[in-house]
Amino acid sequence: MSVIGADAPRVDGPAKVTGAAQYTADIVLPGMLHAKVLRSTMPHARLVRIDASAAERELGVVTITRDDLTGMDPYYGPVVKDQPIVGIDRVLFAGDVIAVVAAEARDIAEEALDLIEVEYEPLPVVTDSDAAMAEGAPVLHAARRTPQVTFPDMKSVHFQTDSNVCSVYHVERGDVEAGFADADELFEDVYSVPTIQHGHIEPHASIAYWEPSGKLVVHTSTQNPSVIRTQLADLFGLPETSVRVIVPYVGGGYGAKTYPKLEPIVAALSRKARRPVSLVISREEVFMTAVRHAASVRIKTGVRCDGTLVARRVVATYDTGAYADIGPRTAKNGGYSAGGPYRIEHQDLTSYCVYTNKPPAGAFRGFGVPQVCWAYESQMDDIARRLGMDPVELRKRNLIQENDLFVTGDRLVSVGLDKCLDQVVEAIGWRGIESTRPIETDRPGFVRGLGLAVMIKSTMTPSNSAASVRLNADGSATLLTSSVEIGQGSHTGLAQIVAEAIGLPLDRVSVTFPDTDFTPYDQSTSSSRTIFSMGHAARQAGIQIRDQLLEIASGRFEAAVEDLEIVDGSIRVKGVPAQSLTIPQVFTTHFGAAVGSLFGAFDYQTTGGLDPDTGMGKASAFWFLSAAGAEVEVDTRTGKIRVLRAVTSVDVGKAINPRQCWLQNEGSMLTALGSALFEEMLFDNGQPVNASFLDYMLPSMEDFPDTFRSMLVETPHPEGPYGAKGMGEAGLGPVAPAIGNAVANALGGVRLRDLPLRPERVLDALTKEGLQ
Amino acid sequence: MKRPITTTINERTRDIVVAPNRTLLEVLRDELGLRGAVEGCGVGVCGSCTVLVDDRPVSSCLMLATNAEGRTITTIEGVSRDGELSPVQRAFLEQQAFQCGFCTPGMIMAVEGLIRENPNPDEAEIRDYLSGNLCRCGTYSAVIAAVQSVVVQARAETENSRPAAH
Ligand code: FES
Ligand code: FES
């Protein structure tokens, strides 16, 4: 029986329910020192003097300051090398790294931080992208290092060096002005989304040591071991084979653990200390290590009376904070996705990635799309309201369809968005235009409303994933992969794919943790790409093994390969079950005894990329589509919103493990719910105000809606393994606008354009409309 | 100054010497090698460090180890007996009530506390009791289902063991 599409139990279950699962902070190495980071108290300042000698002298600790990095280029970054291991001449945000200390115990390291003297000369601060783009703003990276083209897709953005604009992406089709002129109604609004944090419960953690041979070994909580290896090799002038990156279980990441975070620090410290160094940061520091881009989105849309969208112009500005990290790609993705999953003849889409004096913003589940989706899906309901149309009908009239050309020129395949929307309509009981009216409750002051939204998102393209599979003589197999088990269930899903490809029982397949000494290159465990890309590679590697088994058996049976099959680990002649061989027997046929191994290996590169001048080409190896619906209750006296029901439907191509798809999607939905209602990192002139779980709330079971449902649509993708495509981020985009639309419907059309939908904002909006 | 204390951890009486500023979480992890409880926030909000102290769930990141004197501590390592999972662990496994698993030991310990306190909680009580255990992977629905299955199973067992009425 096929294991594809089965709710196979997770292989990491026993380790996780017993507390035995090992995370980076659980690792203790002989002689290991503990590190602490001295962080800037200023959002922007020149570093006049840094003196760590007292700390070293009095406490015998090992420190790294800029003085220790003189013989090397201390800057790193996946796209632009603009972030130093520790502050060199300036600090660029409150929380920026100035020095690091390693000591026998954490409290000694902590004490040592107080002994490091820092003299700052404050510099002018820019804390939002508008201020950063204004004339006369201080330019944060005047001496920017040139962008590296480690990633081929980064050729399609324009990098700038003379302002705080790090990069620009632009794409257009048709003639947007002519389209506006041709439209019956125009809508132009500005939407905003604040900085939020990923909230992975496992803080970042990394451990490094240097072997006597000069090899650097790093255990780290990362989403992309192969890229960490490249970046460390580059920083320390080593061949990649002299850097070994090992990743145990990772306690959530959602993008925050992509690209170097603590790895350069522990590598530098352990080199000087000549001992292993572990750095596990505090929750407060997590807020200074990675955040989601705040964004402002100006969107103008021209519509005909019949509801046809004719033209759309979007300018989206992404606040990438002090360092570029992967911001240029995030902004690029948001840029071309800003038109939404709609056929719009004339489009003009631009996105900016802008430096400010805030913590570096990088990858975050949804990758630039939730910001623009908030804008285009909110506006969509305003359009429907003004035209007197059912918002579902308006969407359906314009939704992209199979084989359509996306604005980038991609031909879209595996487009089941109509079905996603239908499922949501049914699940929340949407009844046409009447569902846009407030639903009265029997509690005075409380009104309810329904809302929905849709989304389209791409995956990083081109990208590489390599897998290697080893079949042992006893018929068990190991998949060697650098994909990270981060909670999504990759160990289980990939095992299902390998078992199916070879024809083995599922419990005969195991999947390794990433260890770059053994596991082949994988670009990243992110962008919802693991099942699609690594799954494809693993499947092909499995098929190679299957072919070898069949080849050997065909000699033995004197039967053609086509007449053989492998079922549950035995190779047999189709229709003649008596004619069968076990895998040990096949090995014996081949090697003379049940010894040795058979190998399969496959490197899958998705092709594509965009032209830097036109922004066109092939943006994505697959597109994922989703719809969401919500019911909210608003207390019009306090402005407080409660989400009563939230549902999503995602086109997954083919669910390898449906239960894990639902669960993973519920994670996206819950984060979206937090970002819609209350999540927001606040800054006071560049100083973080709520960088702790006491002040920055994550959704708890108390916020959990009564109904919370994730549904799947399966429109097979021709290149995905067994038709599967990615879905790990799909629920995130449409949930916030579905909630926003439900709130607007509850309030008779009152539109809130800034997230989060805090009670005082609701009250303000009601007051402005004269409803309060 | 370090202080000797006597405490029972996972049914074993321990005499240990602890510094006055050490939290129970630090002592469990660093000194006793019990690494199932983890630190997600360090300020008593996320629940990932939850252990039972005298059968009540406590954030071990907030409790000073010296306060463990004379108490009975149960950690995730102590809920399974002889390699056999507790009913709560089994339910988490069956319902797949975890994703990254980082919150899971704390979540399981909170549920252990809940069913000791209230063997028959309804959904509102479950949500309320577990609202101090954050799961950013968003596994709440499966966790609620796991708790409900423990409750149903326990009820079935009591009914079966009740002498049949004549
Ligand atoms: S670590 Fe103790 S409650 Fe978060
Ligand atoms: S399973 Fe990842 S935080 Fe709960």
Side-chain angles (χ1 to χ4, degrees), chain A residues 245-489:
Chain A
V245 178
I246 305 167
V247 186
Y249 283 121
V250 171
Y254 325 109
K257 293 174 180 170
T258 50
Y259 310 106
K261 292 290 177 279
L262 310 181
E263 296 86 356
I265 294 175
V266 287
L269 251 179
S270 63
R271 186 170 67 164
K272 183 171 173 192
R274 298 173 176 279
R275 284 168 66 175
V277 173
S278 161
L279 175 57
V280 180
I281 59 173
S282 69
R283 177 57 49 186
E284 193 182 355
E285 292 177 286
V286 169
F287 282 94
M288 294 160 185
T289 302
V291 300
R292 182 172 94 174
H293 290 81
S296 94
V297 182
R298 176 174 288 276
I299 176 166
K300 180 173 177 183
T301 307
V303 193
R304 288 214 190 90
C305 291
D306 66 358
T308 308
L309 304 180
V310 270
R312 173 166 282 174
R313 171 185 288 135
V314 181
V315 178
T317 309
Y318 290 81
D319 172 355
T320 208
Y323 301 108
D325 195 281
I326 199 68
R329 182 190 281 155
T330 315
K332 177 195 71 160
N333 278 28
Y336 60 64
S337 309
Y342 300 113
R343 300 173 152 169
I344 307 176
E345 199 181 331
H346 308 284
Q347 298 191 47
D348 185 302
L349 312 172
T350 309
S351 62
Y352 295 95
C353 172
V354 182
Y355 287 117
T356 64
N357 295 115
K358 298 233 294 271
F364 187 115
R365 209 169 194 178
F367 208 71
V369 173
Q371 291 93 329
V372 289
C373 185
W374 166 244
Y376 67 69
E377 282 303 89
S378 297
Q379 193 184 59
M380 204 65 179
D381 264 34
D382 282 355
I383 295 172
R385 187 170 287 270
R386 196 180 315 162
L387 299 183
M389 272 179 86
D390 171 8
V392 172
E393 196 197 318
L394 175 66
R395 286 180 174 82
K396 288 220 155 172
R397 180 176 290 267
N398 293 285
L399 278 191
I400 44 141
Q401 303 293 338
E402 192 79 21
N403 278 320
D404 275 2
L405 281 184
F406 195 61
V407 64
T408 48
D410 289 59
R411 188 154 302 278
L412 299 171
V413 294
S414 174
V415 183
L417 190 51
D418 276 302
K419 280 194 211 142
C420 293
L421 187 53
D422 287 343
Q423 279 194 348
V424 163
V425 161
E426 159 125 28
I428 61 164
W430 182 270
R431 290 198 313 270
I433 197 155
E434 77 176 85
S435 292
T436 60
R437 296 192 195 111
I439 306 164
E440 299 303 329
T441 69
D442 41 19
R443 290 201 291 163
F446 286 82
V447 279
R448 295 184 176 183
L450 293 177
L452 33 75
V454 295
M455 181 211 72
I456 184 163
K457 188 188 174 290
S458 58
T459 186
M460 70 169 75
T461 304
S463 76
N464 286 66
S465 285
S468 122
V469 177
R470 192 181 71 213
L471 181 70
N472 303 311
D474 70 347
S476 64
T478 308
L479 167 66
L480 289 98
T481 173
S482 295
S483 289
V484 177
E485 176 53 85
I486 195 165
Q488 83 284 47

Side-chain angles (χ1 to χ4, degrees), chain A residues 10 16 23 199-202 250-254 486-487, chain B residues 48 97-104 107 133-140 143:
Chain A
R10 286 181 63 140
K16 287 181 174 172
Y23 300 89
H200 42 87
I201 308 291
E202 180 203 26
V250 171
Y254 325 109
I486 195 165
Chain B
S48 66
F98 56 85
Q99 291 181 59
C100 79
F102 202 74
C103 71
T104 310
M107 194 72 90
N133 287 78
L134 300 176
C135 175
R136 186 59 149 181
C137 294
T139 320
Y140 295 142
V143 170

Side-chain angles (χ1 to χ4, degrees), chain A residues 11-36:
Chain A
V11 296
D12 48 352
K16 287 181 174 172
V17 303
T18 55
Q22 193 177 53
Y23 300 89
T24 301
D26 298 333
I27 297 171
V28 181
L29 299 174
M32 187 171 89
L33 300 176
H34 299 274
K36 289 276 174 194

Side-chain angles (χ1 to χ4, degrees), chain A residues 36-233:
Chain A
K36 289 276 174 194
V37 181
L38 182 70
R39 294 180 182 274
S40 171
T41 55
M42 301 231 165
H44 192 196
R46 202 167 68 79
L47 290 169
V48 181
R49 196 173 68 91
I50 306 166
D51 185 355
S53 57
E56 295 206 326
R57 203 173 49 239
E58 288 174 33
L59 292 170
V61 299
V62 180
T63 61
I64 293 278
T65 66
R66 59 187 178 187
D67 299 336
D68 297 286
L69 303 178
T70 45
M72 65 189 289
D73 177 1
Y75 290 87
Y76 63 91
V79 181
V80 183
K81 286 216 259 173
D82 57 4
Q83 185 164 9
I85 300 176
V86 295
I88 305 295
D89 52 341
R90 290 172 310 149
V91 281
L92 286 166
F93 69 99
D96 209 352
V97 179
I98 295 177
V100 282
V101 176
E104 298 287 344
R106 281 185 288 267
D107 43 2
I108 303 175
E110 191 85 56
E111 209 185 318
L113 296 184
D114 292 337
L115 296 179
I116 301 175
E117 292 167 34
V118 181
E119 198 181 310
Y120 302 94
E121 180 190 306
L123 295 169
V125 174
V126 283
T127 55
D128 66 68
S129 39
D130 283 347
M133 288 168 86
E135 194 105 12
V139 177
L140 304 187
H141 289 276
R144 178 114 26 90
R145 270 125 240 280
T146 41
Q148 355 172 52
V149 200
T150 334
F151 301 119
D153 73 309
M154 282 294 98
K155 288 184 206 133
S156 57
V157 295
H158 289 278
F159 289 91
Q160 304 199 344
T161 47
D162 50 352
S163 74
N164 287 317
V165 174
C166 172
S167 62
V168 187
Y169 170 81
H170 178 77
V171 66
E172 61 183 72
R173 86 164 162 214
D175 178 345
V176 80
E177 285 304 335
F180 288 143
D182 191 30
D184 297 322
E185 299 265 4
L186 294 175
F187 296 78
E188 184 166 11
D189 308 289
V190 179
Y191 288 83
S192 81
V193 175
T195 303
I196 63 171
Q197 216 280 326
H198 308 66
H200 42 87
I201 308 291
E202 180 203 26
H204 298 85
S206 301
I207 299 171
Y209 63 94
W210 294 74
E211 290 183 349
S213 64
K215 182 171 191 161
L216 169 61
V217 183
V218 182
H219 299 261
T220 184
S221 182
T222 186
Q223 296 177 233
N224 41 19
S226 304
V227 175
I228 299 299
R229 180 180 61 169
T230 309
Q231 292 263 317
L232 291 175

Side-chain angles (χ1 to χ4, degrees), chain A residues 7-10 12-14 16-21 23 25-28 105-107 196-203 249-252 254 281-283 364-365 485-488 642 657 659-660 663-668 670-671 674 679 692-694 696-708, chain B residues 19 21-22 26 29-30 34-48 75-80 83 85-86 88-105 107-108 111 123 126-145 147:
Chain A
D7 289 330
R10 286 181 63 140
D12 48 352
K16 287 181 174 172
V17 303
T18 55
Y23 300 89
D26 298 333
I27 297 171
V28 181
R106 281 185 288 267
D107 43 2
I196 63 171
Q197 216 280 326
H198 308 66
H200 42 87
I201 308 291
E202 180 203 26
Y249 283 121
V250 171
Y254 325 109
I281 59 173
S282 69
R283 177 57 49 186
F364 187 115
R365 209 169 194 178
E485 176 53 85
I486 195 165
Q488 83 284 47
R642 178 162 175 82
N657 187 323
R659 188 168 168 79
Q660 294 313 319
L663 264 185
Q664 203 184 353
N665 197 38
E666 289 183 13
S668 285
L670 198 66
T671 297
E679 286 187 41
S692 113
F693 275 177
L694 287 170
Y696 183 105
M697 312 282 234
L698 303 185
S700 76
M701 266 196 211
E702 235 168 293
D703 309 295
F704 196 57
D706 304 328
T707 302
F708 200 66
Chain B
N21 61 349
R22 278 274 171 281
E26 287 172 311
R29 287 182 58 83
D30 300 343
L34 297 169
R35 296 183 164 254
V38 293
E39 181 173 315
C41 72
V43 292
V45 177
C46 74
S48 66
T75 71
I76 186 76
E77 291 86 354
V79 291
S80 33
L85 301 181
S86 78
V88 176
Q89 287 176 310
R90 247 190 344 258
F92 268 67
L93 195 56
E94 275 157 20
Q95 299 294 328
Q96 314 248 320
F98 56 85
Q99 291 181 59
C100 79
F102 202 74
C103 71
T104 310
M107 194 72 90
I108 288 178
V111 176
E123 186 173 331
I126 296 170
R127 285 172 177 243
D128 186 51
Y129 200 91
L130 298 180
S131 65
N133 287 78
L134 300 176
C135 175
R136 186 59 149 181
C137 294
T139 320
Y140 295 142
S141 66
V143 170
I144 294 169
V147 182

